[in-house]
Amino acid sequence: MAQLDTLDLIVLIVLLAGSVAYFTKGTYWGIPKDPYASSYALANGAKAGKTRNILEKMEESGKNCVIFYGSQTGTAEDYASRLAKEGSSRFGLKTMVADLEDYEYENIDTFPEDKVAMFVLATYGEGEPTDNAVDFYEFITGDDVSFSNGGNEDGKPLSNLNFVAFGLGNNTYEHYNSMVRRVNDALLKHGATRIGKAGEGDDGAGTMEEDFLAWKEPMWTELSEKMQLQEREAVYEPVFSITEREDLNPETAEVYLGEPNKNHLEGHSKGPYNSHNPYIAHIVESREVFTVKDRNCLHMEIDISGSNLSYQTGDHIAVWPTNAGKEVDRFLDVLGLLEKRNTVISVKGLDSTARVPFPTPTTYDAAVRYHMEICAPVSRQFVSSLASFAPEDGPKKEMEKLGSDKDYFREKISSQYLNIAQVLERIDPANKWTGVPFSIMIEGLQKIQPRYYSISSSSLVQKDKISITAVVEEIRVPGSDNIVKGVTTNYLLALKQKQHGDPNPDPHGLTYAITGPRNKYDGFHVPVHVRHSNFKLPSDPSKPIIMVGPGSGVAPFRGFIQERAAQAKAGEKVGKTILFYGCRKSTEDFLYKDEWDVSNAFPFLSSLMLLYPIVLSEKLQNLTFAASLGSSFELVTAFSREQSQKVYVQQRLQERAAQVNELLLQKANFYVCGDAANMAREVSAMLGQIVAKQRGLSPEKGEEVIKAMRSANQYQEDVWS
């Protein structure tokens, strides 16, 4: 019995410790969730373990307005920063910008009535919150929300909270702007008061910027009345100080030349690797997949062994890009900084809440090359903010006109897809814009964002290698001499050309610092991290699947089929696996043609695999993964330019209507990957028509079936605009 009593005591102690941990939520020993703890914050002297109490932070820094952002690509963060600057310069608000994942939310029921909270929230994927907003979203929309004062829905615990809301969405997605709508509804349900309308920007219609500008003016009017603010003439007030360091040079060990954080600077990077801390991965293989000379599609194999990075089939890989040398030179030249490109600068926030978006000290060149989104389309508001720094009155008036006339701006700037350096060059080609503070460029341009690609391999088959399939972007703007070149895909193409022996690769006339800061990417390395996705195969491999993926939209389905082929080889029962694939011509851009139809490309391989399955190399076996599925795999192609009338995947779906419907009745999962604006919408509409006709339903009922499939995760999309 004494032994039993001892065990009982141990169990009681463990239960007690667990209870304390739960109810205190780690207050006494928990480590604050600081995503920058191992990133550039420490490199800049920031203190780890900063407060996660937003009211405490506002109080100690004297703020009366906080702008929270939920951002995936940096746009929502940029809008939040712009609201903060405008609120400060035009209305005298004491503003701060806050990443939603940096703070706790239980105490927002004690938010003072004389302060305001703004929420700038992007919707990601199929109505999901962005990565940094997941915890906040789950908390505020939860069924049983527990605030610090124990308030409940009947008591309206947020009755003191005044808030503003703007959402960033895309109308080509099923759940358009669902993040801001759901958060708005939740805040109102708990008694908060919204100031102005809940704004919604539409990237799908190409009106995001104008939607934002049109929303904010009446919002400011209503907020001014609510908080008794006085508007004043907006004058530029820098957020950051820029100090040129004569005591340092680019060879000094403490100077960042593009390294993302201190560990990378010191040459011993360590995980966890994520959106704040990339892994410098080796490109073990790269090849061209198209068979034409005027277009490129890359297949790359990225080695993640030894990094502790992991992925699941259907996930995304993020590639951290480098700006092209031509654009870096253009940007520095137009600002009169070309000869000072290697001058070392320190960048510091002039306010305790201002976060420098890259580690310093650094150089002008490194900041522009590795950290600033200099190739992005420029906003009308940003052009207007630069008018006062124009070299002469003529360019100043032109900038003011562009900033105030949206139609004129569309004609001259946005329709041409010009970046900021191109705009300044065109408005005044005779002079350098030396009066423009470098600080306003840091504030006005987004931090360069990783680009995400659907992984085209199976983690079951190659857990330590990630495949990428990427079409190299080069868009000729109609009626313009401007050619928009993909920042990351051309960077990857340069790496591929270098790996294949070109000593001086310059895809589409662009050059890149391929070896990275201090040659740390030498030997064909690229900074990456993995982002997990909900785009997944069914857990039961015997369940049928239908995949629609034209062009590079086939990428995740290559991984799906690779996985099912491995399962079939292992003796598992694999359900019907149909891929609807489309491209221009079977002889030009038919991606992975040999893998889908091995028996036609290499007639002897099927027999050879049966005779010598072990002797053949892994690479040869990978070539045959589609054939391994036998009759369970079916490829349906649509080559749009091989006949007089164009044929697309949605027509092929219609031709297979009976088969598609039968598989759906067997609870087949339906997947779509690719263009959201046209293809994905048309495929969804076609599937609704197929279901209605095959089952004798009205068109409306057919659409309801598709919506129910989406809700049940039977219909999944991985799409982009």
Side-chain angles (χ1 to χ4, degrees), residues 453-599:
Y453 300 91
S454 300
I455 293 174
S456 55
S457 56
S458 162
S459 56
L460 179 67
V461 176
Q462 49 182 74
K463 68 181 181 66
D464 290 330
K465 272 198 311 185
I466 289 176
S467 299
I468 295 179
T469 307
V471 173
V472 179
E473 296 175 80
E474 186 191 33
I475 303 170
R476 296 184 178 274
V477 181
S480 171
D481 58 355
N482 188 37
I483 301 174
V484 181
K485 302 176 179 70
V487 172
T488 308
T489 52
N490 280 281
Y491 168 50
L492 292 176
L493 179 56
L495 280 163
K496 178 257 178 186
Q497 291 175 347
K498 182 77 171 179
Q499 194 168 36
H500 285 256
D502 188 337
N504 300 297
D506 60 341
H508 301 125
L510 303 177
T511 58
Y512 294 85
I514 287 176
T515 60
R518 292 185 170 89
N519 293 321
K520 289 174 180 175
Y521 303 169
D522 198 16
F524 312 111
H525 287 77
V526 65
V528 301
H529 72 269
V530 171
R531 182 176 71 186
H532 296 293
S533 162
N534 293 323
F535 196 73
K536 293 287 179 281
L537 279 165
S539 56
D540 179 3
S542 68
K543 191 174 183 179
I545 62 172
I546 302 168
M547 301 164 287
V548 182
S552 60
V554 79
F557 302 137
R558 180 180 182 268
F560 282 16
I561 295 168
Q562 189 181 51
E563 182 148 320
R564 288 206 149 191
Q567 290 168 331
K569 284 181 183 179
E572 294 187 60
K573 181 183 177 182
V574 173
K576 189 69 176 179
T577 304
I578 300 182
L579 171 63
F580 288 85
Y581 173 74
C583 63
R584 294 181 185 179
K585 293 184 178 180
S586 59
T587 55
E588 292 184 358
D589 52 358
F590 190 172
L591 299 184
Y592 305 113
K593 177 179 180 179
D594 297 340
E595 296 180 3
W596 308 136
D597 194 10
V598 174
S599 59

Side-chain angles (χ1 to χ4, degrees), residues 108-390:
I108 62 171
D109 59 332
T110 62
F111 208 90
E113 202 170 4
D114 61 346
K115 301 184 190 301
V116 63
M118 298 186 181
F119 296 90
V120 183
L121 306 170
T123 298
Y124 165 63
E126 290 305 298
E128 302 156 28
T130 56
D131 292 346
N132 74 315
V134 171
D135 289 347
F136 168 73
Y137 174 76
E138 291 178 348
F139 170 79
I140 202 68
T141 61
D143 293 332
D144 187 21
V145 184
S146 177
F147 293 105
S148 60
N149 282 343
N152 52 47
E153 185 178 337
D154 293 333
K156 302 295 183 186
L158 301 185
S159 57
N160 283 340
L161 176 64
N162 294 308
F163 77 97
V164 167
F166 183 80
L168 295 80
N170 187 316
N171 71 13
T172 61
Y173 288 77
E174 175 77 7
H175 303 283
Y176 172 60
N177 258 313
S178 63
M179 181 66 175
V180 74
R181 293 178 182 182
R182 291 170 185 168
V183 168
N184 173 70
D185 290 346
L187 293 172
L188 293 175
K189 181 181 78 171
H190 292 300
T193 300
R194 190 186 66 236
I195 298 170
K197 292 183 178 179
E200 294 185 355
D202 187 0
D203 191 43
T207 59
M208 180 74 76
E209 177 69 15
E210 292 303 327
D211 292 339
F212 174 71
L213 296 179
W215 162 81
K216 71 181 181 66
E217 287 309 316
M219 180 277 293
W220 284 128
T221 300
E222 193 167 327
L223 182 64
S224 298
E225 294 174 358
K226 177 76 174 179
M227 298 187 69
Q228 297 183 332
L229 304 175
Q230 294 296 318
E231 185 172 2
R232 59 192 187 186
E233 183 180 355
V235 178
Y236 173 63
E237 299 172 352
V239 175
F240 305 112
S241 68
I242 312 295
T243 306
E244 295 185 354
R245 300 285 300 274
E246 295 182 1
D247 57 320
L248 299 174
N249 63 66
E251 284 71 46
T252 308
E254 70 184 86
V255 175
Y256 291 83
L257 298 182
E259 296 91 348
N261 57 50
K262 192 171 185 178
N263 287 330
H264 283 268
L265 176 69
E266 295 174 347
H268 49 74
S269 68
K270 58 184 179 181
Y273 298 107
N274 51 37
S275 58
H276 304 298
N277 183 37
Y279 174 64
I280 311 302
H282 181 219
I283 301 172
V284 294
E285 179 188 339
S286 61
R287 68 177 190 269
E288 177 62 54
V289 192
F290 283 171
T291 56
V292 289
K293 292 184 178 180
D294 61 336
R295 292 187 296 143
N296 299 95
C297 182
L298 304 175
H299 175 90
M300 286 186 161
E301 298 285 342
I302 310 295
D303 184 7
I304 58 169
S305 58
S307 67
N308 282 329
L309 278 174
S310 64
Y311 76 100
Q312 292 181 320
T313 308
D315 282 346
H316 302 135
I317 185 169
V319 176
W320 292 45
T322 297
N323 282 314
K326 178 180 179 180
E327 293 302 331
V328 174
D329 292 348
R330 186 202 306 272
F331 184 89
L332 293 172
D333 183 48
V334 78
L335 296 181
L337 293 173
L338 202 55
E339 293 184 0
K340 299 174 72 173
R341 68 189 315 155
N342 293 319
T343 298
V344 177
I345 56 173
S346 286
V347 183
K348 292 185 178 180
L350 294 173
D351 183 278
S352 62
T353 65
R355 184 190 300 186
V356 181
F358 48 80
T360 75
T362 186
T363 65
Y364 286 115
D365 184 284
V368 174
R369 187 179 302 275
Y370 292 102
H371 299 297
M372 296 168 66
E373 197 75 84
I374 62 172
C375 295
V378 65
S379 74
R380 183 159 62 93
Q381 187 176 11
F382 187 47
V383 168
S384 179
S385 72
L386 297 179
S388 61
F389 303 108

Side-chain angles (χ1 to χ4, degrees), residues 686-704:
M686 178 59 70
L687 193 64
Q689 294 170 25
I690 288 171
V691 167
K693 187 173 181 179
Q694 292 293 314
R695 302 181 190 181
L697 304 174
S698 67
E700 293 76 19
K701 289 291 184 183
E703 291 179 6
E704 287 179 15

